[in-house]
Amino acid sequence: MEEAGQDPLDDVRDVMEIPKLEITKQNLDSLNSDLEKDLQRMDEANQVLLKKIQEKEETIQSLERDITLSVRQAREREELDHRTAEKEAALRDLELETAKLEKNKEILSRSVVEVQKEISRKFKNVSLDKEALKQMLAELKVKLQKSTESCASQEKELVKIESDYQSVYQLCEDQAHYIKKYQEILRQMEKEKEMLLLEKEVQRWRSSIQSAKTRPGADCGSDHELLIAKFRLKLKKVGKTTRPFRCKAQNNATQIVKPGSTLVETIQSNMEKTIVKKQKRIFWYRHFRYFIFVVMIFFRLLGYVLFYLQYINPDLLVDALPMVMSRETLTRLRDALFPFLTLEVEEVLPH
C-alpha cells in the first residue's frame, strides 16, 4: 500500500537527478586531481625555495666568518700601528734626550774649563786680593747687623699688630654680644607692648567674650601662638537723625574678631583703615582748596580783562581781531552779531 501510495513524479525526479549527481561527482574528481597536482607543484617549489634558503644561509655564514676574520685582522693591524707609533715616539723622545744630554755635556765641559781657569787666576791673585776680602767681610757684617735690627723691628711691629687684632676681635665679640642683648630686649619690649594691648582689648571686650582657645602647634608662619575667640556684640538701634552714631556702630561692627585671627591683627587692620580714610580726606581737601584757588584767580583775571576793555582800551578787540582773523571770519561775525548790536527806536533821534 505504501509503494502504491508514492507519487510517480518523485520517481521521475530521482531518475533525473542521478545523472546530475554523476556529473557533479566527475567534476569533483577532476577538481581533486587538479588540487593534488597543484599541491605537488607547491611542494616542489617549496623544496626549491628551501634549497635556495639553505644556500643563502651558507653564504651568509661564510660572509660572517670573512667579516669576523677581517675585523680581527683590522684590529691586529690597528694594534700593530699603535705599537709602532708608540715605539717611534719613544725613539724620538730618546733621540731628543740624547741630544739634550750631549748639549749639557758640552756646557758642563765648557763650565769646568772656565772654572779651572778662574781657580788658576784666583790662586795667582790671592796675595793681591786680601785687602779687598777684608773690606767685603766688613761690609757683610754691617749688612748682617742691619738685617738683624730690621728683623727685630718687624717682630715688634708684628707683636703690636697681633695685640691690636686681638683687641679689635674682642671689641667685635662684645659688640655682637651687646647687639644680641639689645635685640632680645627689643623683643621683650614688643611682647610686653602686645601683652598690654591685649590686656586693654580683653578688658574692653571681656564682657562680650564667650570662649577663647589657643593653638600652640599651628603652622601659621610666625613665632606667635594662634588665639581663637568668639565675641558677642550688642549694637544699639540708631534713628535716622543721629548719623554719627550710625558711623560708630559701623566701626564697631567692623571690629568683630574673625576666628583664626588675633586681636592685634584686628587692631592693626582697623588702624590701617582709619589712616587710609584720613589720607583720602586730606587728599580731597587739598584738591578742593586748589580748585577754589584756581577759580578765584580765574574770576580775578576775568575782572581785570573786563575792566581793561571797558575803561582803558575799549577798542582792543576791534584792533586785534583783524590781525588775528581773516576777512571771511570777520564778515561772518559781523553778520551774526549785527542784529544784537542794532538799536530799534520808535522816534527819530535829534541831530
Side-chain angles (χ1 to χ4, degrees), residues 125-267:
N125 296 320
V126 167
S127 61
L128 297 172
D129 294 335
K130 285 181 180 180
E131 294 179 356
L133 289 169
K134 288 179 181 179
Q135 290 178 358
M136 291 288 287
L137 288 169
E139 289 177 357
L140 288 170
K141 286 179 181 179
V142 172
K143 287 180 180 179
L144 284 169
Q145 288 177 359
K146 289 180 180 180
S147 63
T148 52
E149 289 176 357
S150 64
C151 288
S153 63
Q154 286 177 1
E155 286 178 356
K156 290 178 181 179
E157 289 178 356
L158 285 169
V159 171
K160 288 180 181 179
I161 290 162
E162 286 179 355
S163 63
D164 294 332
Y165 177 74
Q166 288 178 358
S167 62
V168 170
Y169 183 72
Q170 288 178 358
L171 287 170
C172 291
E173 286 183 350
D174 294 332
Q175 285 179 358
H177 182 66
Y178 287 123
I179 287 162
K180 287 180 181 178
K181 285 185 177 179
Y182 180 69
Q183 288 177 355
E184 289 177 357
I185 291 162
L186 285 174
R187 287 175 185 173
Q188 289 178 0
M189 293 288 287
E190 288 178 356
K191 286 181 180 179
E192 288 177 358
K193 286 181 181 179
E194 288 179 357
M195 290 297 291
L196 289 170
L197 290 169
L198 287 169
E199 286 177 358
K200 287 180 181 179
E201 291 294 328
V202 167
Q203 287 176 2
R204 185 186 293 176
W205 301 95
R206 187 177 289 172
S207 61
S208 61
I209 292 170
Q210 290 182 350
S211 64
K213 294 179 182 179
T214 57
R215 298 292 177 86
D219 188 5
C220 59
S222 66
D223 297 331
H224 302 288
E225 293 180 356
L226 288 177
L227 187 139
I228 298 168
K230 290 183 181 179
F231 292 89
R232 185 178 180 182
L233 296 174
K234 291 181 181 179
L235 300 174
K236 293 181 180 180
K237 291 183 180 180
V238 182
K240 293 182 180 179
T241 56
T242 58
R243 290 182 181 177
F245 290 100
R246 186 181 293 171
C247 295
K248 287 181 181 179
Q250 289 177 1
N251 292 323
N252 290 323
T254 56
Q255 290 180 358
I256 295 167
V257 179
K258 295 180 181 180
S261 63
T262 59
L263 290 170
V264 177
E265 290 177 355
T266 55
I267 293 159

Side-chain angles (χ1 to χ4, degrees), residues 102-119:
E102 287 177 355
K103 288 180 181 179
N104 290 322
K105 283 180 181 179
E106 290 177 357
I107 292 162
L108 286 169
S109 63
R110 289 176 185 175
S111 63
V112 167
V113 171
E114 289 177 356
V115 168
Q116 287 176 357
K117 288 179 181 179
E118 287 178 357
I119 289 164

Side-chain angles (χ1 to χ4, degrees), residues 37-82:
K37 289 178 182 179
D38 292 330
L39 288 169
Q40 288 177 359
R41 289 175 185 173
M42 291 289 287
D43 291 330
E44 290 176 356
N46 287 323
Q47 288 177 0
V48 172
L49 288 169
L50 287 169
K51 288 179 181 179
K52 288 180 180 179
I53 288 163
Q54 288 176 357
E55 289 176 356
K56 286 182 180 180
E57 286 178 353
E58 289 177 355
T59 53
I60 288 162
Q61 288 177 359
S62 63
L63 288 169
E64 286 178 353
R65 289 172 185 173
D66 294 331
I67 289 162
T68 52
L69 290 170
S70 63
V71 168
R72 287 178 184 175
Q73 289 176 0
R75 287 178 182 175
E76 289 176 355
R77 286 176 184 174
E78 287 178 356
E79 288 177 356
L80 289 169
D81 293 331
H82 186 66

Side-chain angles (χ1 to χ4, degrees), residues 229-350:
K230 290 183 181 179
F231 292 89
R232 185 178 180 182
L233 296 174
K234 291 181 181 179
L235 300 174
K236 293 181 180 180
K237 291 183 180 180
V238 182
K240 293 182 180 179
T241 56
T242 58
R243 290 182 181 177
F245 290 100
R246 186 181 293 171
C247 295
K248 287 181 181 179
Q250 289 177 1
N251 292 323
N252 290 323
T254 56
Q255 290 180 358
I256 295 167
V257 179
K258 295 180 181 180
S261 63
T262 59
L263 290 170
V264 177
E265 290 177 355
T266 55
I267 293 159
Q268 288 178 356
S269 64
N270 292 324
M271 290 293 288
E272 288 175 357
K273 287 178 182 178
T274 54
I275 289 162
V276 169
K277 287 179 181 178
K278 286 181 181 178
Q279 287 178 356
K280 286 181 179 178
R281 288 175 186 172
I282 292 162
F283 176 79
W284 289 113
Y285 180 70
R286 286 178 180 175
H287 281 74
F288 184 70
R289 282 194 306 173
Y290 294 149
F291 179 74
I292 290 167
F293 182 72
V294 170
V295 169
M296 289 173 70
I297 289 167
F298 177 76
F299 280 114
R300 188 171 287 179
L301 290 171
L302 200 147
Y304 289 149
V305 170
L306 292 172
F307 180 79
Y308 183 82
L309 291 172
Q310 190 172 0
Y311 295 104
I312 296 169
N313 192 3
D315 297 328
L316 179 65
L317 294 173
V318 176
D319 296 330
L321 286 173
M323 296 172 68
V324 176
M325 296 181 182
S326 62
R327 290 182 180 179
E328 293 179 358
T329 54
L330 286 171
T331 53
R332 288 176 185 174
L333 276 171
R334 190 179 294 167
D335 294 331
L337 297 173
F338 185 77
F340 297 102
L341 297 173
T342 55
L343 295 172
E344 293 180 1
V345 183
E346 293 179 356
E347 295 179 357
V348 179
L349 292 172

Side-chain angles (χ1 to χ4, degrees), residues 87-101:
K87 288 180 180 179
E88 287 177 356
L91 288 169
R92 287 174 185 173
D93 294 330
L94 288 169
E95 288 176 355
L96 292 170
E97 287 178 356
T98 52
K100 288 179 181 179
L101 289 169

